[in-house]
Amino acid sequence: MRALVAGLPARARAVLALVAVLLLGAPFAVDAYVLSVLILCLYFAYTGQAWNIMMGFAGQLSLGHSLYVGIGAYAAAALFVHFDVNPWLGALAAIVLCTLAGLVIGFLAFRFGIAGVYFAILTIAFAEFTRIGFDHWNWLGASGGLFLPVKERGVTDLATLRGPPVMFYYAILALTVGALALSRLLLASRLGYYWRAIREDEEAAQALGIDTFRYKMVAVGLSAAMTSLAGVFFAFYYNNLFPEQIFSMGRSIEIILGPIIGGLGTLAGPIVGAFVLTPLADGITELMQLLGIETPGVKQVFYGVCLLVVIVFLPNGIWPAIARRLGFAPR
Amino acid sequence: MALLEVRSIGKSFRGLRAVHDVSFELADGAIAAMIGPNGAGKTTCFNLIAGVFAPDTGAVALGGRRITGLRPHEICRAGVGRTFQVVKPFPQMTVLDNVVVGALNAAARVGDAEREAWRVLELLHLDAKSQTLAASLTLPERKRLEVARAMATRPRLLLLDEVMAGLRPTEVDEMVAVFRRINHETGLTILLIEHVMRAVMALAAHVVVLHHGEKICEGAPAQVVRDPAVLECYLGEEAV
């Protein structure tokens, strides 16, 4: 615990404490709608962090992270639906499967020198053909979807992850905080130095004794494993899974927007980005309704303009711009 | 005893003979230089020693152990540190973090690596820049950072690829003094590619001359600079 806040000035610690209190107390102060938005914010904060480890830290661009969300979700859900397997065990299976999937993709790419945009295309390809495969996999409901039995929503049963939104809120909050702590520890470790070196210049990293293949594999495996838990969360929170949705390219893009807007490779960037973008998307919908505008596509255009503004004026993301002011000295 | 043994290494790129049948030895604790005109194959030689490419023919041994065919990181682990002629800093990392990455090669913990990095930064007069992003260094500073990073890996053999290029004469003298001191204090063996003859003459006890990928001459610096073949292809008559 102490290692996590070491080196942070008092002001930054105060900000952290305030945010912690707000997040912990939020369910008691907000209505069901706001809570659902907060859950979505945290969901993207978590997946964004998982993606950030691979791209932000180690410099490996994945545009197919929906693959790991999908496999994780389907693994835990199928075990639960078909074999009544406890979701916590299902989560273990999800982690194992997604880590393997990540390592296979990583091995193919890194062994055969596929890098940069070509690596990104490979990640898209894997997500896409998995989507098509799942569309025809009847045991998992195929394109018709896989549904989890919804029991009494008033009862909180943490063991089988059946309960009200508030339970899911704290679950995803715990995941997000855990990911933040892990990211901070990793970044300050040998692994963190190696990843950043690989991201900055792979040839120079090799010349300094770094087995770049190995550490890139670690980044992909870890990122996939973390993302799989988001999938498990997704399955048990929404109770329905469709390959068209969960494996879609759009989902992968949603995951990476938060870290990019918030600050690629930074610790808080993915979280800040998610908390800016998610309410923005929802807010625009509300705003459009308020103004009585129903022209299709206006929402997307407005959202795109907002992204454009951030990217033009804050090319390094939102977080680096506010970090100094909040007392988080930029490293 | 020879620390580095290079035995008739050769390398062709799509039929172009970059290095052909080059052999030389480097005694433990020696400072040697490799000179020759542009395109002579000096950097390719370095890349063959450092494992960027495997030689088509011949072999390289470090301390009696064959290192031919090992990958670059394994050769670094074996004790060869190298700099790049076209510098390759980690631009979005601080100068200190750049050097810490190198120091982690030999250090057991990040804290030890940081201490080692500070030591090397002081040695190369980069300590005042420790918190600067490498991206905002000047070229001479980047060259020093290359050296610092390679030295932090605690090599037995340091390969320096034109680290003096672009430095003012006083800066060259400063670098020469640093390398002399390190060589004297730690017995670090150094092989440098250099066009700055001022540095070569001041540092190297032994000079290897390459031309068109082949070794044309080898010996003490004073002897090499009088060699007619070397004068003809590289130094020119003025140098004497």
Short mmCIF file of all heavy atoms in Angstrom, two decimals, chain A residues 187-209:
data_model
loop_
_atom_site.label_atom_id
_atom_site.label_comp_id
_atom_site.label_asym_id
_atom_site.label_seq_id
_atom_site.Cartn_x
_atom_site.Cartn_y
_atom_site.Cartn_z
N LEU A 187 5.16 -0.46 -13.73
CA LEU A 187 5.89 0.60 -14.42
C LEU A 187 7.20 0.93 -13.70
O LEU A 187 8.18 1.31 -14.33
CB LEU A 187 5.00 1.86 -14.50
CG LEU A 187 5.24 2.78 -15.68
CD1 LEU A 187 5.23 2.03 -16.99
CD2 LEU A 187 4.21 3.89 -15.71
N ALA A 188 7.19 0.78 -12.38
CA ALA A 188 8.40 1.09 -11.61
C ALA A 188 9.34 -0.10 -11.53
O ALA A 188 10.43 0.00 -10.98
CB ALA A 188 8.02 1.56 -10.21
N SER A 189 8.94 -1.23 -12.07
CA SER A 189 9.75 -2.44 -11.95
C SER A 189 10.65 -2.61 -13.17
O SER A 189 10.58 -1.84 -14.12
CB SER A 189 8.84 -3.67 -11.84
OG SER A 189 8.26 -3.93 -13.10
N ARG A 190 11.48 -3.62 -13.12
CA ARG A 190 12.34 -3.98 -14.25
C ARG A 190 11.51 -4.14 -15.53
O ARG A 190 11.85 -3.62 -16.59
CB ARG A 190 13.03 -5.31 -13.90
CG ARG A 190 13.88 -5.89 -15.00
CD ARG A 190 14.50 -7.20 -14.53
NE ARG A 190 15.48 -6.99 -13.48
CZ ARG A 190 16.80 -6.89 -13.72
NH1 ARG A 190 17.26 -6.97 -14.93
NH2 ARG A 190 17.63 -6.70 -12.73
N LEU A 191 10.39 -4.83 -15.38
CA LEU A 191 9.49 -5.06 -16.52
C LEU A 191 9.05 -3.74 -17.14
O LEU A 191 9.03 -3.58 -18.37
CB LEU A 191 8.27 -5.84 -16.02
CG LEU A 191 7.49 -6.70 -16.99
CD1 LEU A 191 8.38 -7.64 -17.75
CD2 LEU A 191 6.40 -7.46 -16.24
N GLY A 192 8.69 -2.78 -16.29
CA GLY A 192 8.24 -1.48 -16.77
C GLY A 192 9.32 -0.76 -17.56
O GLY A 192 9.05 -0.18 -18.62
N TYR A 193 10.54 -0.79 -17.07
CA TYR A 193 11.66 -0.17 -17.80
C TYR A 193 11.87 -0.87 -19.14
O TYR A 193 12.08 -0.24 -20.17
CB TYR A 193 12.95 -0.25 -16.97
CG TYR A 193 13.06 0.82 -15.92
CD1 TYR A 193 12.72 0.56 -14.60
CD2 TYR A 193 13.50 2.09 -16.24
CE1 TYR A 193 12.82 1.55 -13.62
CE2 TYR A 193 13.60 3.08 -15.29
CZ TYR A 193 13.26 2.81 -13.97
OH TYR A 193 13.36 3.79 -13.02
N TYR A 194 11.83 -2.20 -19.12
CA TYR A 194 12.04 -2.95 -20.35
C TYR A 194 10.95 -2.65 -21.38
O TYR A 194 11.23 -2.45 -22.55
CB TYR A 194 12.06 -4.46 -20.06
CG TYR A 194 13.34 -4.94 -19.42
CD1 TYR A 194 13.52 -6.27 -19.07
CD2 TYR A 194 14.39 -4.07 -19.17
CE1 TYR A 194 14.69 -6.73 -18.50
CE2 TYR A 194 15.56 -4.50 -18.59
CZ TYR A 194 15.71 -5.85 -18.24
OH TYR A 194 16.87 -6.28 -17.67
N TRP A 195 9.71 -2.61 -20.90
CA TRP A 195 8.60 -2.34 -21.82
C TRP A 195 8.76 -0.98 -22.47
O TRP A 195 8.59 -0.82 -23.68
CB TRP A 195 7.26 -2.39 -21.07
CG TRP A 195 6.74 -3.76 -20.85
CD1 TRP A 195 7.11 -4.89 -21.53
CD2 TRP A 195 5.75 -4.16 -19.90
NE1 TRP A 195 6.40 -5.96 -21.04
CE2 TRP A 195 5.58 -5.54 -20.05
CE3 TRP A 195 5.01 -3.47 -18.92
CZ2 TRP A 195 4.67 -6.27 -19.26
CZ3 TRP A 195 4.12 -4.18 -18.15
CH2 TRP A 195 3.96 -5.57 -18.31
N ARG A 196 9.06 0.02 -21.67
CA ARG A 196 9.18 1.37 -22.23
C ARG A 196 10.35 1.43 -23.21
O ARG A 196 10.27 2.10 -24.25
CB ARG A 196 9.35 2.40 -21.11
CG ARG A 196 8.04 2.64 -20.37
CD ARG A 196 8.15 3.79 -19.40
NE ARG A 196 9.05 3.46 -18.29
CZ ARG A 196 9.72 4.36 -17.59
NH1 ARG A 196 9.63 5.64 -17.89
NH2 ARG A 196 10.49 3.98 -16.60
N ALA A 197 11.43 0.75 -22.87
CA ALA A 197 12.58 0.72 -23.79
C ALA A 197 12.18 0.09 -25.12
O ALA A 197 12.52 0.59 -26.20
CB ALA A 197 13.73 -0.05 -23.15
N ILE A 198 11.43 -1.01 -25.06
CA ILE A 198 10.98 -1.68 -26.28
C ILE A 198 10.07 -0.76 -27.08
O ILE A 198 10.17 -0.66 -28.30
CB ILE A 198 10.24 -3.00 -25.93
CG1 ILE A 198 11.23 -4.01 -25.36
CG2 ILE A 198 9.51 -3.55 -27.15
CD1 ILE A 198 10.57 -5.23 -24.74
N ARG A 199 9.19 -0.06 -26.37
CA ARG A 199 8.28 0.87 -27.03
C ARG A 199 9.06 1.97 -27.75
O ARG A 199 8.76 2.33 -28.88
CB ARG A 199 7.37 1.51 -25.97
CG ARG A 199 6.43 2.58 -26.50
CD ARG A 199 5.76 3.32 -25.36
NE ARG A 199 6.71 4.24 -24.70
CZ ARG A 199 6.49 4.82 -23.53
NH1 ARG A 199 5.38 4.55 -22.85
NH2 ARG A 199 7.37 5.63 -23.01
N GLU A 200 10.10 2.47 -27.11
CA GLU A 200 10.84 3.60 -27.65
C GLU A 200 11.77 3.19 -28.80
O GLU A 200 11.86 3.90 -29.79
CB GLU A 200 11.66 4.27 -26.54
CG GLU A 200 10.81 4.88 -25.43
CD GLU A 200 10.06 6.11 -25.90
OE1 GLU A 200 10.71 7.01 -26.43
OE2 GLU A 200 8.83 6.14 -25.77
N ASP A 201 12.50 2.11 -28.64
CA ASP A 201 13.41 1.67 -29.70
C ASP A 201 13.81 0.22 -29.44
O ASP A 201 14.62 -0.06 -28.57
CB ASP A 201 14.65 2.55 -29.77
CG ASP A 201 15.43 2.32 -31.05
OD1 ASP A 201 15.69 1.15 -31.40
OD2 ASP A 201 15.77 3.31 -31.72
N GLU A 202 13.22 -0.66 -30.25
CA GLU A 202 13.42 -2.08 -29.97
C GLU A 202 14.87 -2.52 -30.20
O GLU A 202 15.40 -3.33 -29.43
CB GLU A 202 12.47 -2.90 -30.84
CG GLU A 202 12.34 -4.31 -30.33
CD GLU A 202 11.18 -5.06 -30.95
OE1 GLU A 202 10.23 -4.42 -31.41
OE2 GLU A 202 11.26 -6.29 -30.96
N GLU A 203 15.50 -1.98 -31.24
CA GLU A 203 16.87 -2.40 -31.53
C GLU A 203 17.82 -1.97 -30.41
O GLU A 203 18.70 -2.74 -29.99
CB GLU A 203 17.32 -1.78 -32.87
CG GLU A 203 18.42 -2.58 -33.52
CD GLU A 203 18.92 -1.92 -34.81
OE1 GLU A 203 18.17 -1.14 -35.43
OE2 GLU A 203 20.06 -2.18 -35.18
N ALA A 204 17.62 -0.74 -29.93
CA ALA A 204 18.45 -0.27 -28.82
C ALA A 204 18.19 -1.12 -27.57
O ALA A 204 19.11 -1.43 -26.82
CB ALA A 204 18.16 1.20 -28.54
N ALA A 205 16.94 -1.49 -27.37
CA ALA A 205 16.60 -2.32 -26.20
C ALA A 205 17.35 -3.65 -26.25
O ALA A 205 17.91 -4.10 -25.25
CB ALA A 205 15.09 -2.55 -26.14
N GLN A 206 17.38 -4.25 -27.44
CA GLN A 206 18.10 -5.53 -27.60
C GLN A 206 19.58 -5.35 -27.29
O GLN A 206 20.18 -6.19 -26.63
CB GLN A 206 17.94 -6.05 -29.02
CG GLN A 206 16.57 -6.62 -29.29
CD GLN A 206 16.37 -6.94 -30.76
OE1 GLN A 206 17.14 -6.50 -31.61
NE2 GLN A 206 15.34 -7.71 -31.05
N ALA A 207 20.14 -4.24 -27.78
CA ALA A 207 21.57 -4.00 -27.58
C ALA A 207 21.90 -3.81 -26.11
O ALA A 207 23.06 -3.92 -25.71
CB ALA A 207 22.02 -2.79 -28.39
N LEU A 208 20.87 -3.51 -25.28
CA LEU A 208 21.10 -3.33 -23.86
C LEU A 208 20.78 -4.61 -23.08
O LEU A 208 20.63 -4.59 -21.86
CB LEU A 208 20.28 -2.16 -23.32
CG LEU A 208 20.67 -0.81 -23.93
CD1 LEU A 208 19.75 0.29 -23.46
CD2 LEU A 208 22.12 -0.46 -23.58
N GLY A 209 20.65 -5.71 -23.80
CA GLY A 209 20.50 -7.00 -23.13
C GLY A 209 19.06 -7.43 -22.87
O GLY A 209 18.82 -8.36 -22.11
#
